[in-house]
Amino acid sequence: MDTTKKAPRPVDRHVGGRVRMRRMMLGMSQEKLG
């Protein structure tokens, strides 16, 4: 149980990266709209 807290699961890391990329894309689209 403690090991899960020490290191994030690879799936969580993957999802986080995807969300980050989506955020960057959204920011770029907002700039283009503006």
Side-chain angles (χ1 to χ4, degrees):
M1 300 284 282
D2 208 17
T3 53
T4 53
K5 285 186 180 182
K6 281 187 181 181
R9 291 183 185 180
V11 178
D12 292 336
R13 281 178 66 187
H14 184 68
V15 173
R18 283 183 71 181
V19 172
R20 224 166 106 194
M21 281 180 70
R22 196 172 170 190
R23 252 195 211 173
M24 285 178 71
M25 285 181 72
L26 284 168
M28 284 177 69
S29 66
Q30 283 181 1
E31 282 183 6
K32 283 184 181 180
L33 285 167

